[in-house]
Amino acid sequence: MTVKHFSVEYNKVNDRGTFSPGDILSGRVTVVTSGETKVQCFLVKAKGKAKVTWYEQEGQATGVHSDKKKYFYFEHIILQDKNKGDGSEIISPGRNVYPFTFAIPNVDMPSSYEGKWGKITYSLRAQLTQSIWLVHKTKTEFPFLTKSEFPFASKSDMIIIGLKEQQYATRISFYGFEKVTMNVTSEKMGVKQGEAMGVSVEVLNESTRTVTPKFYLCEKQTFAAQSKRIVHTNDILFGTGDSVPAKTSRTITKVLSIPPQLPPTFFNCCMMKLEYRVKVTFDVPLARDPEIRLPVVVLLGSPKPHQQKPKRSIWFRKLPA
């Protein structure tokens, strides 16, 4: 065991430390040995891939649904013996550094992502084979960002305009002969990572009970494999509005702040996609909670922190008798 240290590293190409299609991926493999080391094969690989796997109960058996897609694969042989097995290549004692360079294909590929039942990864792997029984391996992943500004739809003008427009929805719920109307408005559909937007709900409570609106950001992950599909959803509470007493109306606005690290919406992977919704629902005792969902597209970006103060209830009035 003369190999004391074995690692692979890459050079950053920007302040974020991310890579995109068309970038040059360069780095080094470092090997530290305590003596002369015979090598059968020594190589470094760069790989981009997507993989999904989940299990389902199918009768008495458990079915496995899995699929994978390779976006690119490159291999660079650093050392290889001439006679394929005699270990004729030698690594000198001490610290040895071997540089490498790969050109990432300039084609559309999804960003790095890890979900409930699948992930998209981009990695560097190095392998040093001394014999069939002695193989050293090392691996590191590098963050990858798609070049597509809108990795969720075609770049039509209507889609781009729609991201900036307000979204509206109305729901009328009945509790016996009593009625509660909820009108929900979001400032826009497209919002960048780290950005904020207002979500307003106008409640016309004509019932004899108090209702309380709750605001959620909903995540929807969809995975596909072998003609099967599975969905994972997650609701994140980001606000509870003031209660609206019986026979009154009120408009309440909450500010939704998108976490800077929240993965952006994407559809440009054939095996998985990520979507978001804003959900507004009532907390009504002894009743099925009505809800309204509005689409939200999370875009890549790190804008300045939102300076506007959180909005509060705008008005409060009695409904006419």
Side-chain angles (χ1 to χ4, degrees), residues 169-173 180-184 282 288-292:
T170 297
R171 184 183 178 100
I172 300 175
S173 302
V180 178
T181 303
M182 176 169 54
N183 300 309
V184 176
F282 285 144
R288 183 179 178 182
D289 295 348
E291 64 181 44
I292 287 179

Side-chain angles (χ1 to χ4, degrees), residues 35 37 89 111 121 165 284 299:
T37 303
E89 292 293 337
S111 299
T121 57
E165 292 184 341
V284 184
L299 302 169

Side-chain angles (χ1 to χ4, degrees), residues 23-256:
D23 284 346
I24 298 299
L25 174 62
S26 63
R28 71 208 64 83
V29 181
T30 303
V31 185
V32 179
T33 66
S34 59
E36 284 193 351
T37 303
K38 293 184 177 181
V39 175
Q40 288 186 0
C41 185
F42 180 16
L43 55 84
V44 59
K45 300 178 284 188
K47 182 188 295 187
K49 68 176 183 178
K51 184 177 181 180
V52 298
T53 303
W54 74 88
Y55 300 87
E56 285 184 350
Q57 196 68 32
E58 300 174 351
Q60 298 297 318
T62 300
V64 181
H65 302 287
S66 181
D67 201 357
K68 59 183 178 181
K69 179 179 176 61
K70 188 183 296 180
Y71 293 108
F72 62 80
Y73 176 85
F74 300 109
E75 183 177 288
H76 171 60
I77 296 176
I78 299 173
L79 293 173
Q80 187 169 18
D81 62 17
K82 305 298 186 294
N83 298 316
K84 300 193 179 294
D86 66 353
S88 58
E89 292 293 337
I90 301 294
I91 295 179
S92 302
R95 185 174 185 269
N96 300 269
V97 179
Y98 302 91
F100 60 84
T101 299
F102 298 111
I104 299 174
N106 194 13
V107 296
D108 182 37
M109 293 178 282
S111 299
S112 302
Y113 175 72
E114 184 168 357
K116 179 72 173 179
W117 290 293
K119 59 183 179 179
I120 303 167
T121 57
Y122 298 85
S123 63
L124 284 166
R125 302 166 186 258
Q127 180 175 312
L128 192 157
T129 303
Q130 292 184 258
S131 69
I132 192 172
W133 302 282
L134 189 55
V135 180
H136 305 274
K137 295 181 180 180
T138 185
K139 171 188 172 183
T140 186
E141 293 184 1
F142 56 91
F144 189 85
L145 284 179
T146 180
K147 266 190 173 179
S148 176
E149 187 178 2
F150 304 106
F152 51 85
S154 62
K155 296 183 180 180
S156 68
D157 291 340
M158 292 302 295
I159 291 293
I160 297 173
I161 292 172
L163 294 175
K164 301 176 183 178
E165 292 184 341
Q166 288 186 329
Q167 306 293 306
Y168 306 89
T170 297
R171 184 183 178 100
I172 300 175
S173 302
F174 291 91
Y175 306 100
F177 295 101
E178 301 172 343
K179 181 174 73 173
V180 178
T181 303
M182 176 169 54
N183 300 309
V184 176
T185 305
S186 64
E187 288 182 349
K188 53 191 173 183
M189 183 168 62
V191 57
K192 293 182 178 181
Q193 294 169 311
E195 202 174 40
M197 71 174 186
V199 180
S200 299
V201 55
E202 179 187 8
V203 181
L204 286 74
N205 185 7
E206 299 178 78
S207 71
T208 56
R209 65 187 75 196
T210 297
V211 295
T212 303
K214 289 186 175 181
F215 300 78
Y216 296 84
L217 176 64
C218 306
E219 176 191 50
K220 180 182 177 182
Q221 304 174 16
T222 305
F223 304 89
Q226 302 170 349
S227 302
K228 297 286 187 177
R229 193 176 74 123
I230 190 169
V231 174
H232 172 70
T233 58
N234 183 36
D235 290 352
I236 306 168
L237 177 67
F238 73 87
T240 300
D242 297 332
S243 298
V244 182
K247 304 300 181 183
T248 60
S249 63
R250 195 170 199 168
T251 296
I252 301 163
T253 300
K254 289 291 180 180
V255 174
L256 167 61

